[in-house]
Amino acid sequence: MREIERLAVIGAGTMGRQIALQCARHGFPVALYDLTPGVLTEAEDWQRGVVGEWVSSGALSAEEASRIFQKIRYQRHLEEALQNADLAIEAAPERIELKREIFAQLDRLLRADAIIATNSSSIRVSALEAATERPERVANLHFYLPVWDSPMVEVGGGSCTLPEVLESLAAFARAIRILPLRVKKESTGFVFNRVWRAVKKEVMRVADSGVASVEDIDRAWMIKFGREKPPPFAQMDRIGLDVIRDIELRYAAESGDPDDLPKPILTERVERGELGVKSGRGFYAYPDPAWARPEFLEPDAGKPHPPAPCPSKLGKGS
């Protein structure tokens, strides 16, 4: 099996730009491709902002930062992005037909021995591999946000992925300082996302049914599990509520269970264009979300208004 030395990331959105930056930081030449010029420009600006923060904090020197950007090529033409690539990582939205279309394009343009990987968070590899003539070299390589603060990646195969392909991907993950988690058999949602899916489904059910507010659910989570990481609703904002909706629709399509359909608390926000961090509003307003403020967990936080009179007592004594 040829060692992975050069790669292309297909899609410069929230996840793609982070994967590309992590690879470049650890010395891998990477082409970051997106069809939309504005997205590529935004991705580069965002990456430079992150690297600037690393330099300011002392995590990187200015020379190391400069070397990172010598490793990244920003490409609008897919054929150029894939030249000499040993690995292409697809990081497109969670829509199966779109991913199949991309896989077919990658299959036509990549070298015959190159690996095609999807960063899908829920779609099984076997649902994508038939779009190629190399199903034995198709795999899943699912990263988590933020890539450098959640240094794990799920590595899994499809119906006929070669064991040496999975070994090569695991070695690549270690080389970019990410722990590979081996998915031993196909499973929608893989490893952590099966657990995370149960959490997000239940917190949305609790809020959507009026049992508790979004804020109080997140407060409970933070007090119980720590304040350093975003709580469930804030985490969904970070991922993108449109992405969350697409994932939930995928689960529902597979199970056929109406209870698996995304709840109105999610779909109504997406319909209004409230997609989370990337749109400036989701479950919280950005760039200064309430959950990140120190007072969010103070005893007086979310102090309720006086309760309305009980309907059974209205009119009595008047």
Side-chain angles (χ1 to χ4, degrees), residues 54-112:
W54 290 343
V55 172
S56 297
S57 69
L60 282 181
S61 68
E63 292 75 20
E64 289 170 325
S66 177
R67 283 196 292 271
I68 287 175
F69 290 101
Q70 292 171 15
K71 295 289 185 180
I72 304 176
R73 293 183 294 124
Y74 301 92
Q75 293 284 352
R76 284 186 56 201
H77 302 288
L78 186 57
E79 188 168 2
E80 293 179 11
L82 298 175
Q83 283 182 355
N84 302 316
D86 304 305
L87 166 66
I89 303 173
E90 167 270 313
E94 200 75 351
R95 298 196 290 273
I96 191 166
E97 292 306 323
L98 173 61
K99 290 181 183 289
R100 283 175 174 157
E101 181 182 332
I102 292 171
F103 267 47
Q105 290 178 299
L106 297 179
D107 187 52
R108 288 195 302 270
L109 296 172
L110 281 165
R111 285 196 331 264

Side-chain angles (χ1 to χ4, degrees), residues 2-9 18-32 47 64 66-73 84-87 89 141 143 168-178:
R2 181 170 179 161
E3 185 177 353
I4 294 171
E5 296 179 344
R6 305 181 66 88
L7 67 147
V9 176
Q18 292 200 20
I19 296 171
L21 185 56
Q22 181 75 6
C23 294
R25 181 177 183 178
H26 292 282
F28 283 82
V30 55
L32 180 58
Q47 289 173 334
E64 289 170 325
S66 177
R67 283 196 292 271
I68 287 175
F69 290 101
Q70 292 171 15
K71 295 289 185 180
I72 304 176
R73 293 183 294 124
N84 302 316
D86 304 305
L87 166 66
I89 303 173
L141 200 60
F143 293 82
S168 182
L169 290 173
F172 164 72
R174 295 186 187 99
I176 61 171
R177 307 306 300 158
I178 300 290

Side-chain angles (χ1 to χ4, degrees), residues 18 59 67 84-85 89 100 140 147 158 180 210 214 230 260-261 266 311 318:
Q18 292 200 20
R67 283 196 292 271
N84 302 316
I89 303 173
R100 283 175 174 157
N140 182 265
V147 170
V214 165
D260 284 338
L261 288 168
L266 175 65
S318 60

